[in-house]
Amino acid sequence: MKPTTVIGFLGSTLDAAKFGPSRWNKWRPTVSICMQEDLRVDRFVLIHGSYHRRLAEFVMQDIRDVSPETEVVPHVMDFEDAWDFEEVYGKLLDFAREFEFDPDTQDYLIHITTGTHVAQICLFLLTEARYLPGKLLQTQPHRGAPQPIGTWASIDLDLSRYDSIASRFAEASAESTSFLKSGIETRNAAFNRLIEEIEQVAVLSRAPILLMGPTGAGKSQLARKVYELKKLRHQVEGPFVEVNCATLKGDSAMSALFGHKKGAFTGAVQDRPGLLKSADKGLLFLDEIGELGLDEQAMILRAIEEGRFLPVGADSEAKSEFQLIAGTNRNLMEEVAAGNFREDLFARLNLWTFALPGLAERREDIEPNLDYELERFAEREGTRVTFNKEARDRYLAFAESQSARWQGNFRDLAASVTRMATLCPTGRIDREAVDFETGRLGRLWSGDKAESESLADLLGKERAQAIDPFDQVQLEYVVKVCRRSASLSDAGRTLFAASREQRTSTNDSDRLRKYLAKFKLDWGAVTQ
């Protein structure tokens, strides 16, 4: 066993006793620690004030008498006000930083029975934060007849060691992740892991979060659920403020975001606080942040880092403390390279970046989301609508197939359910309604520019004519598949469906990227 060091305060009341044999009939917590048969104390660091030096010497001598093997090390720590939290915590923190801990060769017990309540709380916090690398030690007297020894118990703040507590945390975590998914029992393993990580970050950090993904992938809904989760945990007090940056254009963008003073420009007839100020002590969601101009980006960066910004026409700065979640369907690294997005702002946002997959990449989640959308329709319209079995199977067969492109992701699914439910006044969606809807979706997805643009539109007439006819046919097909796919990897899986089964390892994305590069193309150029 490793040697044990106890660190604790001298109890000016509990450890005090009159001189004489009668003191051994009284429970004194500091002395009793060294009288325990099942606890060997090799060193005792006794913290006390100058005013109690005599009591400390008296207690130290009693420890030597009952436990000669214990080295008692007095440590003088004076407080102007022992009930001032800031002073007590600061001096204990200095003590912890200066103390030569060696947890590899020694065990440490932090005694929290003596000292003021403020001192006990500070010892707890410093132990929890691992400034004091040990376990908490609690002592108490025997109930009934007075006995000097009493009892002791150690508390390990690594809560994962306690089965019942660990299970409670697991349940709470499961509830949180289910909360972020709106209670939808999603089946996609990668998405479920993503949500678990977002839940951890949302609860433990106030740093900005960047949500990337295609339009309709659920960024706005997830941002609101993160806010609601933090609200339940009492981590935010203010409101949830959502801003679609794509709607902020020209001079009005500065005013909308940062506010303005009366008379700052023509039409500014009164002060306007701005959206950043409205989000004070809450959560600000800047959707499509890549649409902001460079000037607005610079002010956003300062507001994130310092909590301050200058309203339009103002002489003094405004303050707002908010947590930021940013959303974008653009590749911000490419935008930085192109000079359209500030590198310093991207670096600040990129601490916690999560890429939300589109619905086409989560086809196994279509069924639970179908049920969710039916529930939403019932809540919204006050009418419950269901499928008959044949119609449900037929719709899912189409929705989960590769021919279903889900260009608008969950927005397409929500709109599809709404149309079928609305057009079935009997409350039962049948096969005919499903066939009508899937035909509508097919026509919707085939009518976009992906089907109408030629290679000449993509490459330019001269470059297109320089490609052999054989390669033209192949490239046209590749472009068509890319534009119907949700991602580079999704397109790669479709294009290399046969050969990938014969490989021990596959990297469809890389194969497709290299193929496009032969024609000086990339994913962004093909799908924009």
Side-chain angles (χ1 to χ4, degrees):
M1 293 180 62
K2 292 187 289 187
T4 299
T5 294
V6 174
I7 300 173
F9 277 94
L10 174 72
S12 59
T13 300
L14 292 176
D15 284 330
K18 295 180 180 180
F19 292 96
S22 63
R23 72 182 186 276
W24 295 108
N25 294 324
K26 178 187 177 184
W27 175 72
R28 292 176 293 162
T30 298
V31 178
S32 77
I33 291 172
C34 301
M35 299 172 68
Q36 303 292 331
E37 294 183 359
D38 55 349
L39 176 61
R40 177 187 173 91
V41 179
D42 297 280
R43 184 168 57 148
F44 200 122
V45 180
L46 187 62
I47 304 172
H48 64 87
S50 302
Y51 181 79
H52 297 113
R53 189 182 303 274
R54 185 180 177 196
L55 174 59
E57 292 174 351
F58 178 56
V59 169
M60 285 168 20
Q61 183 57 53
D62 280 350
I63 291 176
R64 295 187 188 102
D65 290 342
V66 299
S67 180
E69 69 276 11
T70 300
E71 175 192 5
V72 185
V73 182
H75 184 92
V76 177
M77 186 180 295
D78 289 319
F79 302 110
E80 292 183 13
D81 182 358
W83 294 90
D84 182 272
F85 183 87
E86 185 174 1
E87 180 190 3
V88 174
Y89 186 88
K91 290 187 174 180
L92 282 173
L93 178 59
D94 290 340
F95 163 81
R97 286 173 169 168
E98 295 169 2
F99 194 91
E100 295 184 1
F101 289 103
D102 187 7
D104 291 332
T105 62
Q106 291 199 48
D107 289 327
Y108 297 93
L109 294 173
I110 315 302
H111 190 211
I112 59 171
T113 302
T114 51
T116 64
H117 294 328
V118 170
Q120 294 170 10
I121 292 171
C122 290
L123 286 175
F124 174 89
L125 293 174
L126 289 167
T127 305
E128 183 183 40
R130 301 298 292 170
Y131 284 108
L132 297 172
K135 300 178 182 179
L136 299 177
L137 173 64
Q138 283 186 309
T139 56
Q140 61 181 1
H142 277 293
R143 294 184 179 181
Q147 296 183 28
I149 298 179
T151 61
W152 70 280
S154 66
I155 304 171
D156 190 340
L157 290 178
D158 181 1
L159 297 182
S160 65
R161 297 175 181 267
Y162 300 93
D163 291 342
S164 61
I165 295 177
S167 63
R168 289 285 298 276
F169 274 124
E171 291 172 6
S173 179
E175 290 174 1
S176 296
T177 53
S178 177
F179 183 88
L180 292 185
K181 295 186 294 184
S182 302
I184 303 171
E185 293 296 329
T186 52
R187 303 163 183 171
N188 184 278
F191 179 76
N192 287 340
R193 286 193 298 270
L194 179 73
I195 292 297
E196 288 174 5
E197 187 175 351
I198 293 175
E199 185 266 336
Q200 283 185 289
V201 172
V203 171
L204 298 176
S205 174
R206 283 187 53 81
I209 295 173
L210 177 61
L211 301 179
M212 302 181 70
T215 300
K219 299 186 292 292
S220 298
Q221 182 173 345
L222 181 56
R224 181 174 289 277
K225 298 303 287 187
V226 167
Y227 166 76
E228 292 173 0
L229 176 61
K230 294 179 78 72
K231 188 81 169 177
L232 286 173
R233 298 290 186 92
H234 306 288
Q235 294 178 342
V236 292
E237 300 176 13
F240 175 79
V241 177
E242 180 176 354
V243 186
N244 186 341
C245 298
T247 65
L248 303 178
K249 299 296 182 182
D251 296 337
S252 63
M254 281 286 192
S255 173
L257 288 170
F258 308 107
H260 63 247
K261 302 298 290 184
K262 179 180 178 180
F265 50 83
T266 303
V269 296
Q270 60 183 9
D271 290 352
R272 180 179 183 179
L275 294 166
L276 268 68
K277 185 65 176 178
S278 300
D280 190 26
K281 301 189 185 308
L283 191 149
L284 176 67
F285 176 51
L286 294 181
D287 195 14
E288 305 304 345
I289 192 171
E291 301 288 341
L292 285 179
L294 294 175
D295 291 341
E296 289 84 2
Q297 292 175 29
M299 290 187 66
I300 287 290
L301 176 62
R302 185 160 184 263
I304 297 171
E305 294 182 334
E306 302 179 17
R308 295 182 296 166
F309 53 91
L310 189 67
V312 178
D315 296 324
S316 58
E317 293 180 321
K319 296 182 179 180
S320 180
E321 296 292 337
F322 56 86
Q323 181 171 359
L324 176 69
I325 297 181
T328 181
N329 63 3
R330 295 188 177 191
N331 185 324
L332 292 188
M333 292 185 66
E334 293 180 358
E335 295 297 308
V336 169
N340 299 324
F341 200 83
R342 291 182 62 99
E343 185 175 7
D344 49 3
L345 177 57
F346 177 67
R348 190 71 178 85
L349 296 176
N350 198 34
L351 174 62
W352 298 114
T353 299
F354 302 98
L356 300 185
L359 183 58
E361 295 179 82
R362 296 171 49 198
R363 295 184 187 272
E364 62 268 59
D365 287 339
I366 290 176
E367 184 173 11
N369 275 281
L370 177 64
D371 294 331
Y372 173 71
E373 293 298 340
L374 286 171
E375 288 295 325
R376 286 184 63 195
F377 180 86
E379 293 175 5
R380 185 173 64 248
E381 304 297 334
T383 302
R384 183 165 297 278
V385 177
T386 60
F387 285 87
N388 66 41
K389 186 178 185 308
E390 182 187 11
R392 181 184 178 89
D393 291 345
R394 193 172 182 84
Y395 185 81
L396 287 173
F398 165 80
E400 295 172 356
S401 70
Q402 292 298 317
S403 61
R405 295 170 54 193
W406 298 116
Q407 288 287 103
N409 295 291
F410 291 94
R411 291 178 182 172
D412 276 358
L413 181 62
S416 176
V417 171
T418 298
R419 284 192 293 266
M420 288 187 293
T422 301
L423 296 175
C424 289
T426 61
R428 195 77 165 164
I429 300 174
D430 55 22
R431 176 175 174 170
E432 183 180 356
V434 166
D435 289 344
F436 185 77
E437 176 59 25
T438 54
R440 181 201 294 263
L441 288 172
R443 291 190 298 275
L444 172 68
W445 293 329
S446 65
D448 60 25
K449 69 174 183 178
E451 300 294 336
S452 60
E453 289 185 347
S454 66
L455 288 183
D457 297 322
L458 180 63
L459 299 171
K461 187 175 181 180
E462 291 185 4
R463 285 177 59 195
Q465 289 176 345
I467 300 175
D468 291 334
F470 174 84
D471 289 327
Q472 286 185 14
V473 173
Q474 187 178 58
L475 181 57
E476 284 175 351
Y477 179 75
V478 169
V479 169
K480 183 184 295 185
V481 171
C482 287
R483 288 173 172 167
R484 289 182 173 181
S485 301
S487 66
L488 185 68
S489 59
D490 185 37
R493 284 193 295 271
T494 301
L495 290 166
F496 306 117
S499 61
R500 72 191 309 269
E501 298 297 330
Q502 303 169 15
R503 292 170 172 253
T504 56
S505 62
T506 58
N507 191 338
D508 301 324
S509 300
D510 188 56
R511 292 177 69 187
L512 178 54
R513 189 181 293 109
K514 289 177 178 177
Y515 174 82
L516 293 174
K518 287 170 50 180
F519 303 98
K520 297 181 180 182
L521 293 172
D522 58 27
W523 175 258
V526 170
T527 58
Q528 69 179 359

